Amino acid sequence: DDFSEIDPTLIRFKRITLKGSQAENYVRARMAVKNDPTNINRMNRQRTYMEALLPMLSEKVSANSEFATRLLKKVSPYLISRCTTDEITQYIENFSDYELDKIVTPEGESVEGDRFIEFYVDDESLSEIIVDLFYVKK
């Protein structure tokens, strides 16, 4: 995607390590991104970000037992939770080996509405996804 209007350091087709506001722009920006009138491209970018983030997080947690606590302290100004620091740290450690799998997007059509782009899901595609994700054959 072309982010030149938002951040000139985010050059299309160039591989970079996203830091700070770059990461936020990459996963959140939509309206100012050229040729992205829908939310679909943004969701694909979020998926790409998660696919890169999880292995890095796992590596950091495995290499340093204090990493989860330090990470939590850094993100705490942006985090609202009823969990304790110890609970969240434990979650980070428990899920550090998690492998992102099966992010799905149903088929459908994006249509320009009165105020926004509207997505109309294909019912058959959605039904197949629901069966695939939530039902187990006996």
Side-chain angles (χ1 to χ4, degrees), residues 31-81:
M31 302 307 252
V33 177
K34 292 180 183 176
N35 300 321
D36 190 11
T38 71
N39 192 38
I40 294 170
N41 289 350
R42 179 173 64 170
M43 291 185 326
N44 287 334
R45 290 192 305 272
Q46 291 169 351
R47 182 178 296 151
T48 300
Y49 184 83
M50 291 297 295
E51 288 170 348
L53 174 68
L54 288 175
M56 291 173 62
L57 181 62
S58 176
E59 182 181 315
K60 298 276 188 184
V61 169
S62 297
N64 183 344
S65 62
E66 295 298 314
F67 179 79
T69 304
R70 288 193 351 250
L71 174 64
L72 183 57
K73 285 180 183 176
K74 283 190 176 188
V75 300
S76 65
Y78 313 101
L79 179 67
I80 297 172
S81 177

Side-chain angles (χ1 to χ4, degrees), residues 103-116:
I103 295 176
V104 294
T105 304
E107 298 295 322
E109 180 182 17
S110 295
V111 177
E112 190 170 340
D114 292 336
R115 293 184 57 201
F116 303 105

Side-chain angles (χ1 to χ4, degrees), residues 65-130:
S65 62
E66 295 298 314
F67 179 79
T69 304
R70 288 193 351 250
L71 174 64
L72 183 57
K73 285 180 183 176
K74 283 190 176 188
V75 300
S76 65
Y78 313 101
L79 179 67
I80 297 172
S81 177
R82 290 187 176 147
C83 295
T84 66
T85 301
D86 289 340
E87 289 172 327
I88 294 175
T89 301
Q90 190 63 50
Y91 291 141
I92 292 170
E93 291 171 359
N94 288 347
F95 293 113
S96 65
D97 291 333
Y98 178 79
E99 290 185 30
L100 192 59
D101 185 33
K102 215 164 199 164
I103 295 176
V104 294
T105 304
E107 298 295 322
E109 180 182 17
S110 295
V111 177
E112 190 170 340
D114 292 336
R115 293 184 57 201
F116 303 105
I117 300 293
E118 301 168 355
F119 180 77
Y120 293 92
V121 69
D122 177 80
D123 290 334
E124 186 175 321
S125 171
L126 181 60
S127 293
E128 288 174 14
I129 290 171
I130 291 170

